[in-house]
Amino acid sequence: MNSKIDFINGETNKSLIKMFAPLMVGMIMLMIYNMVDGLWVGNLLGELGMSALTAGTAIVLFLNSISMGVGNGISVMIANLVGADDRKHIPGAVATVIAMSTFFSVVLFILGEVLVDPILALMGTPEIIFSDAATYLKIYLLGNAALFIYMVFTSIFRAFGDPMFQMKGMMLTAVFNAVADPFAIKVYGLAGAAIVTVASEVLCLVYAIIYHKKKKMFSMDLKKINMNDAITMVCLSVPTTVQSIMPPLSSAFMISFISSFGMNTIAGFGVARNLELIMFMPTTGMCMAVTSIVGQCVGAKRHDRAMDYLKSSMIIGGSLIAITSVLVILFSGQLTAVFGQGVEVAQVVSRFFSIISIGYVLYMLTSCMQGYITGVGKPGMAMVLLILYYIMFRIPNAYIFKQLFGLNGVWFAFLISHILSVIVAFAMVSYIQKTYSAEYRICHKLGA
């Protein structure tokens, strides 16, 4: 029942890298998985196909973010039990989260199918691409329930210090998607990309079941499903889910802001969002790693170790993204051609990255602190951080700057949100540290 990696007694950087490296590879595979649709659609269906996919992708990312958000809450919950070595409690807790997640995924599927058209209309999706975008999403939703349960399994394995499952699962589906996509798109158009995605999501779930039966790292007891664990899951997962849906929700608003600038701009934003995954996926992987590790440290009552991991993650993650972002910014124009887009779209993409620039390093630092704040059991505080980040700091500024500076003003709003958010995150972490220091002094005096 012990963690596969000794986060409490092991060397900080080494233990962090053991956790982060497979998660980063898994996130890169997820990036490839998400980019494959864009690559094949852009090259086979042109700018209209790419624009329709971009409109649909905003909602897909929203659904994926809900899965990741619920998973992060579950990871903190289980990691606390693992860190505390609470062997009796774990089977019932695992059974509870899987049962609740299954129910919620079905509800989400039904709501999604009903609300696809109204949401696309609310986003201001142009009529010329509306039908294709709606069809893509309605097919995609068929497999989303399987993906949701798969993400729950990845979260449980992360809590036990096993990041390999997520990496291997994403490798499998990325390869399947890359091979099957062109054939399905040629036959069924944009709907073909959705069909392959559904098949890959079902494949994910099948792999999760096989991996669990083989590793037997944890057990679940359906007879021990209980209300206390259900309440704990909800209390942790609601704020972590709100955290996760902020980026795609913000992206949907941004699409509504830029839609008036024409098809080239929408396609350019779609390409830019795909290229951003090169920075976002490692950042998400680091946030997941920090959340699970800190959750274990808190369960073991080692807040000092939790802070060590935060510092290490900021140094390692910040350095990695600094190098990566420079390469993406320098070659963003050329990379646009890979998606089958022309010079005008490439100009939009190049300008987007040149303005945001240093923002991606700040994004990594903020995400590390978000993972720490969530892992110490304060997901509500991290939720506030993300609401400020993606809604309060970004959307009003985008609206105002659009009126003043046009499209460049929208891009500047991204950069401003990165700057303001890292400042707020530092303030939150400082507050948490002061709180724990005060609690430690009180306990030390009482002990004395």
Side-chain angles (χ1 to χ4, degrees), residues 12 23 27 143 161 177 187 206 230 248 256 263 280 287 299 312 334 352 398 406:
T12 303
L23 287 177
M27 290 295 102
N177 214 40
V187 176
V206 171
S256 68
M263 287 297 110
F280 286 178
C287 183
S312 179
Q334 295 90 323
F352 175 89

Side-chain angles (χ1 to χ4, degrees), residues 28-41:
I28 291 173
M29 291 298 104
L30 179 60
M31 174 194 72
I32 294 171
Y33 174 81
N34 288 328
M35 288 178 65
V36 161
D37 282 353
L39 288 168
W40 285 118
V41 168

Side-chain angles (χ1 to χ4, degrees), residues 26-220:
M27 290 295 102
I28 291 173
M29 291 298 104
L30 179 60
M31 174 194 72
I32 294 171
Y33 174 81
N34 288 328
M35 288 178 65
V36 161
D37 282 353
L39 288 168
W40 285 118
V41 168
N43 282 281
L44 296 176
L45 302 180
E47 290 177 2
L48 284 179
M50 189 67 189
S51 297
L53 181 64
T54 299
T57 297
I59 298 176
V60 168
L61 291 176
F62 181 83
L63 294 171
N64 289 347
S65 296
I66 291 177
S67 301
M68 287 187 179
V70 172
N72 283 339
I74 289 171
S75 184
V76 173
M77 174 182 171
I78 302 300
N80 284 169
L81 297 176
V82 174
D85 199 23
D86 192 348
R87 298 168 184 265
K88 292 182 179 179
H89 193 169
I90 290 176
V94 170
T96 300
V97 299
I98 290 179
M100 287 191 64
S101 299
T102 301
F103 172 77
F104 181 70
S105 67
V106 173
V107 172
L108 193 63
F109 162 72
I110 295 171
L111 288 175
E113 290 287 352
V114 172
L115 296 175
V116 162
D117 286 355
I119 292 174
L120 285 174
L122 186 64
M123 290 169 55
T125 306
E127 185 177 351
I128 192 172
I129 61 173
F130 192 99
S131 178
D132 283 342
T135 299
Y136 173 84
L137 286 169
K138 289 175 181 177
I139 295 173
Y140 169 85
L141 284 165
L142 294 172
N144 190 65
L147 179 65
F148 194 97
I149 304 304
Y150 164 78
M151 294 304 295
V152 170
F153 272 102
T154 67
S155 302
I156 295 171
F157 277 108
R158 280 203 313 275
F160 279 88
D162 180 6
M164 298 301 294
F165 165 70
Q166 191 163 344
M167 181 188 76
K168 292 176 181 179
M170 291 318 305
M171 281 184 174
L172 177 66
T173 54
V175 171
F176 175 82
N177 214 40
V179 173
D181 245 0
F183 300 101
I185 292 171
K186 285 183 179 180
V187 176
Y188 300 107
L190 186 60
I195 292 170
V196 172
T197 299
V198 170
S200 66
E201 288 168 346
V202 173
L203 184 62
C204 275
L205 181 56
V206 171
Y207 174 70
I209 295 170
I210 294 172
Y211 190 91
H212 170 61
K213 288 184 176 180
K214 181 179 178 181
K215 296 294 182 179
K216 296 180 180 178
M217 188 175 299
F218 57 87
S219 61
M220 65 183 86

Side-chain angles (χ1 to χ4, degrees), residues 7 63 80 94 153 177 223 233 236 302 342 357 433 440:
F7 297 118
L63 294 171
N80 284 169
V94 170
F153 272 102
N177 214 40
K223 295 179 181 179
M233 174 186 166
L236 289 171
R302 290 295 304 275
S357 58
Q433 283 301 298
Y440 174 79

Side-chain angles (χ1 to χ4, degrees), residues 299-320:
K301 301 186 184 304
R302 290 295 304 275
H303 298 288
D304 57 324
R305 295 292 291 145
M307 194 61 189
D308 290 341
Y309 281 108
L310 172 60
K311 294 175 181 177
S312 179
S313 68
M314 293 175 72
I315 293 171
I316 294 172
S319 301
L320 174 64

Side-chain angles (χ1 to χ4, degrees), residues 424-440:
V424 173
F426 269 114
M428 288 182 170
V429 170
S430 297
Y431 171 78
I432 291 171
Q433 283 301 298
K434 288 179 181 177
T435 301
Y436 280 130
S437 295
E439 290 177 355
Y440 174 79

